[in-house]
Amino acid sequence: MIIDEEVFAVIIAIAIVTSALGVSLSVLPRRGEPFEAIGLLNEKGLIGDYPSVLPANSTLRLNIYVYNHNGKAELFMVKTFIVERGILPSNTTWLNTTPVDTLLVVLPDQGNSTLPFEARLSVPPGQYAFVAELWRLEPTNSSFIYTGRWVHLYFNVTAPLG
Amino acid sequence: MRVSVSLVALVAFLLASAMLVVHAHALSNEALGIMSDVLGKIQLLESRKVNVSDYVRVLDEAVREYQVCARSDGQSCDEELIGKLQALSGELDKAIAGSESTYYVYIARKVAVGAALASIPIATYVLLPWLISYAWLKTKAKWIMLPRGGRKNDNR
């Protein structure tokens, strides 16, 4: 053989590794852990600088960020609540009260959307919590399922201006 | 006394909650059913590797328009939504009917790429020595072989 056998063995080894890597990257499905996310943004659509003190009869303005990483298109529903401070959902239980608003959005895989939210605060002065829960439409049984994702913001309502 | 104060506070909070500007809306069961059907079809197409971005955009627009309509206290929001979803559902049915060939093409392409990549070591083992020998012969094709000591027995 013109080429040295040891050199040939090394070349073959490199070819085998390259081939295995190529097959695993291009043919085998690459699926990470599916998840969805919800985030709270301020009125300008940025993180931070959230309203903390608002006069009664003013308007609470926020943005809600939703992200889909489930590997397929999804229809999400964001239920928003304004409740007494301390009343919060958990990863397994949702708030069993009437939402202030529900926001619907359809997202492709790895798609995201920022949903504007506003509500007039016709409430007496006190401490309140804004809560947004993320629900997902399950096509097989035509119902929305709580994803366990939620965000909240505490704020104080003061006496109305003027 | 403390119980009555708590009760008054609770009633006040419930009244306050009711005073919030509520514009929540609920989809009718029929609209929800068709919406689930449409989403299921989109997910089926997606699993068959069909590009569904246009269908997702149309469904999202229909849902957003429904919300705008519902907030303005429109009476026929559900009917409008159902009409749009039924039209989209019809398009999805056509797409699903032609999606199997797309899926087979996708699978065939994957198998071809996999086979090509898997054959790299075999091809290297079989072809590399031949290529090196061929190149060696090509580069030395015009060489003239001479015996040691020069052209002593050259009868040309």
Side-chain angles (χ1 to χ4, degrees):
Chain A
M1 188 182 276
I2 294 168
I3 189 168
D4 188 72
E5 282 190 3
E6 287 175 2
V7 174
F8 188 63
V10 169
I11 292 170
I12 292 294
I14 292 169
I16 289 169
V17 170
T18 307
S19 170
L21 204 66
V23 169
S24 67
L25 288 175
S26 64
V27 177
L28 301 177
R30 277 174 290 165
R31 284 294 320 136
E33 187 180 347
F35 67 91
E36 56 276 306
I38 183 169
L40 191 62
L41 306 173
N42 66 19
E43 185 182 351
K44 294 172 186 168
L46 301 171
I47 295 173
D49 196 20
Y50 300 105
S52 56
V53 180
L54 290 159
N57 297 323
S58 64
T59 303
L60 173 66
R61 289 191 178 87
L62 292 166
N63 281 286
I64 297 157
Y65 172 86
V66 182
Y67 174 65
N68 175 23
H69 195 88
N70 283 332
K72 57 188 175 183
E74 296 279 13
L75 195 156
F76 292 106
M77 177 170 68
V78 178
K79 287 185 179 182
T80 56
F81 305 86
I82 292 174
V83 292
E84 197 176 3
R85 186 185 174 100
I87 299 175
L88 294 176
S90 71
N91 291 344
T92 51
T93 56
W94 53 91
L95 290 181
N96 200 15
T97 56
T98 308
V100 173
D101 197 3
T102 54
L103 310 167
L104 295 168
V105 64
V106 184
L107 293 177
D109 180 35
Q110 300 188 20
N112 67 76
S113 184
T114 302
L115 311 170
F117 165 83
E118 62 176 59
R120 191 172 159 80
L121 297 169
S122 303
V123 292
Q127 295 181 323
Y128 294 92
F130 166 81
V131 177
E133 294 174 346
L134 186 63
W135 293 64
R136 177 174 58 81
L137 180 64
E138 182 53 57
T140 50
N141 55 9
S142 298
S143 64
F144 282 96
I145 293 171
Y146 180 49
T147 62
R149 311 277 180 191
W150 57 279
V151 288
H152 77 280
L153 173 73
Y154 287 134
F155 61 95
N156 291 334
V157 174
T158 58
L161 294 172
Chain B
M1 183 65 182
R2 187 175 291 173
V3 174
S4 63
V5 169
S6 302
L7 201 64
V8 168
L10 182 66
V11 170
F13 176 73
L14 290 173
L15 283 172
S17 300
M19 285 163 68
L20 283 165
V21 178
V22 176
H23 40 84
H25 45 270
L27 286 163
S28 68
N29 283 337
E30 188 185 0
L32 190 61
I34 296 174
M35 195 180 280
S36 299
D37 181 49
V38 166
L39 184 66
K41 286 175 182 174
I42 289 175
Q43 290 178 349
L44 174 66
L45 277 176
E46 207 168 13
S47 69
R48 290 181 180 178
K49 307 302 173 189
V50 176
N51 182 2
V52 294
S53 56
D54 284 344
Y55 302 118
V56 169
R57 184 179 47 76
V58 171
L59 179 58
D60 188 46
E61 282 173 6
V63 165
R64 284 173 191 263
E65 284 168 13
Y66 166 77
Q67 288 180 106
V68 172
C69 175
R71 287 201 178 94
S72 61
D73 292 330
Q75 295 300 312
S76 58
C77 299
D78 266 29
E79 285 78 5
E80 281 180 26
L81 178 66
I82 288 166
K84 286 173 189 169
L85 292 178
Q86 281 174 338
L88 181 58
S89 182
E91 286 181 32
L92 285 166
D93 285 335
K94 288 178 196 166
I96 287 168
S99 66
E100 279 193 19
S101 58
T102 309
Y103 186 62
Y104 292 141
V105 167
Y106 169 80
I107 293 294
R109 193 185 298 156
K110 280 273 184 188
V111 169
V113 169
L117 287 167
S119 67
I120 285 175
I122 298 162
T124 308
Y125 183 79
V126 172
L127 295 177
L128 189 66
W130 181 84
L131 275 172
I132 290 170
S133 301
Y134 182 77
W136 187 86
L137 281 172
K138 274 284 178 188
T139 53
K140 294 169 175 58
K142 290 178 182 173
W143 285 24
I144 297 166
M145 299 296 287
L146 292 176
R148 282 177 187 271
R151 294 171 177 260
K152 210 180 277 182
N153 300 321
D154 191 356
N155 296 322
R156 281 182 296 174

